[in-house]
Amino acid sequence: MEEGSSSVEMAGAVIAFKLKEASSWWQDINESPVWQDRIFHDLAALYGLVAAVAFIQLIRIQSRVPEYGWTTQKVFHFLNFLVNGVRCLLFVFRRNIESIHPSIFQHVLLDSPSLAFFTTYALLVLFWAEIYYQARALSTDGLRPSFFTINAVVYAIQIAMWLVLAWKNIPIAVILSKMFFAGVSLFAALGFLLYGGRLFLMLQRFPVESKGRRKKLQEVGYVTTICFLCFLVRCIMICFNAFDKAADLDVLDHPVLNFIYYLLVEILPSTLVLFILRKLPPKRVITQYHPIR
């Protein structure tokens, strides 16, 4: 019995040592300016790559159908380029941003791309809602005004919170600002679940021999799942960020947490969605009339 008890105590001591060692490794990286800059520059490189992919795809779409103007697909890729490009610059100059005062400008710089990210993917929800309503012979007249109204309300509330923080840095206002954006992220996740789910179920009811049905079904299913999980994870992480200082994302000494967070909620989802939606629109065929002589 004594030998068994000794073995258990030994195993417990080894586990405790390993946990302490892992915690020490995490803390060493977080507190190292070299590692902080290295991780933030890695994030900048990843965002720059995604921005380049979105821009190249935008150029390809424009070259394919230049006569259509700014379609939803073009705007979606442009906003992806814009969001990821701005994030890239922010992480390149992350250490300089930390020294900006008053601190409200730091909040504006770090939070603005998140708002633009919401608008980018809300546009995808709008596109799917329009397809669904048209397929069901329902009016789509109210969809675009609703899209612009929702975005205007979200931006107005966020700007109001920034003004409150600019006037006085009240801790409760910071928490409310973060919880508001957690709510916005949850709203976006439910939007994907509602309209992505509806479109998926509608496509499932189409005849099996329908042209492109299987591919479109996979496309909608994958993008719905990715975007729903992306915004849900963002919502959960922001809630932790609001109430737990150890989960604070707006500080220099949490580079590992920043890397995991932005990789999961922006870089990876954007990359996967751009890959899934990579198909170019069909060329417009213009038939000319040749009189018979």
Side-chain angles (χ1 to χ4, degrees):
M1 286 292 292
E2 288 182 4
E3 287 183 7
S5 176
S6 177
S7 299
V8 171
E9 288 176 5
M10 182 71 73
V14 170
I15 292 169
F17 177 76
K18 291 290 183 184
L19 287 172
K20 187 177 179 182
E21 194 176 49
S23 175
S24 176
W25 168 84
W26 178 284
Q27 192 172 349
D28 288 344
I29 289 177
N30 280 340
E31 293 176 356
S32 168
V34 174
W35 271 105
Q36 289 170 5
D37 290 341
R38 188 176 296 172
I39 290 172
F40 289 138
H41 290 160
D42 285 346
L43 280 170
L46 290 171
Y47 273 113
L49 186 61
V50 178
V53 169
F55 185 71
I56 291 167
Q57 187 69 351
L58 175 63
I59 298 299
R60 291 179 70 210
I61 296 167
Q62 176 61 23
S63 302
R64 187 72 171 256
V65 284
E67 66 276 4
Y68 282 128
W70 281 98
T71 61
T72 303
Q73 190 180 23
K74 289 178 186 178
V75 175
F76 175 75
H77 282 83
F78 173 73
L79 288 175
N80 260 296
F81 163 69
L82 191 67
V83 170
N84 288 283
V86 170
R87 279 282 188 215
C88 172
L89 292 174
L90 288 175
F91 280 113
V92 167
F93 300 106
R94 184 65 185 84
R95 189 167 294 280
N96 302 84
I97 291 170
E98 194 71 15
S99 60
I100 293 175
H101 292 286
S103 61
I104 182 58
F105 293 116
Q106 294 180 32
H107 287 292
V108 174
L109 284 171
L110 295 174
D111 292 344
S112 295
S114 297
L115 288 172
F117 187 86
F118 165 76
T119 300
T120 303
Y121 284 86
L123 185 66
L124 191 55
V125 174
L126 170 67
F127 180 60
W128 283 353
E130 286 178 333
I131 293 173
Y132 177 78
Y133 275 61
Q134 286 167 2
R136 298 290 298 271
L138 299 171
S139 173
T140 60
D141 294 344
L143 291 177
R144 284 184 179 263
S146 297
F147 168 79
F148 289 116
T149 302
I150 289 167
N151 275 273
V153 170
V154 168
Y155 279 74
I157 293 173
Q158 185 60 68
I159 290 169
M161 289 186 174
W162 284 336
L163 291 173
V164 170
L165 289 170
W167 170 63
K168 193 170 184 181
N169 196 0
I170 309 167
I172 190 67
V174 176
I175 292 171
L176 285 174
S177 177
K178 291 177 179 178
M179 290 307 297
F180 167 71
F181 203 75
V184 169
S185 300
L186 182 61
F187 179 74
L190 294 175
F192 272 102
L193 197 62
L194 177 63
Y195 286 106
R198 281 181 172 182
L199 190 58
F200 183 83
L201 292 173
M202 186 184 72
L203 288 168
Q204 268 192 328
R205 288 193 290 269
F206 280 9
V208 176
E209 63 274 9
S210 295
K211 188 179 178 182
R213 169 192 172 276
R214 184 179 180 83
K215 191 168 184 180
K216 183 59 68 175
L217 195 64
Q218 289 178 339
E219 181 184 294
V220 172
Y222 289 148
V223 174
T224 298
T225 304
I226 290 163
C227 293
F228 171 73
L229 291 174
C230 151
F231 282 102
L232 185 63
V233 169
R234 182 189 282 270
C235 171
I236 294 167
M237 285 294 294
I238 293 174
C239 288
F240 279 111
N241 179 18
F243 297 103
D244 188 354
K245 287 289 183 183
D248 196 351
L249 294 161
D250 300 331
V251 291
L252 281 177
D253 56 359
H254 288 162
V256 179
L257 186 63
N258 270 262
F259 187 84
I260 295 168
Y261 173 77
Y262 286 108
L263 187 69
L264 289 177
V265 305
E266 287 188 3
I267 296 170
L268 196 56
S270 296
T271 304
L272 290 172
V273 170
L274 287 172
F275 176 75
I276 293 166
L277 303 180
R278 69 191 182 280
K279 185 181 177 183
L280 295 175
K283 284 185 178 179
R284 185 180 181 184
V285 179
I286 302 174
T287 56
Q288 294 181 341
Y289 172 69
H290 298 282
I292 299 172
R293 295 179 181 177

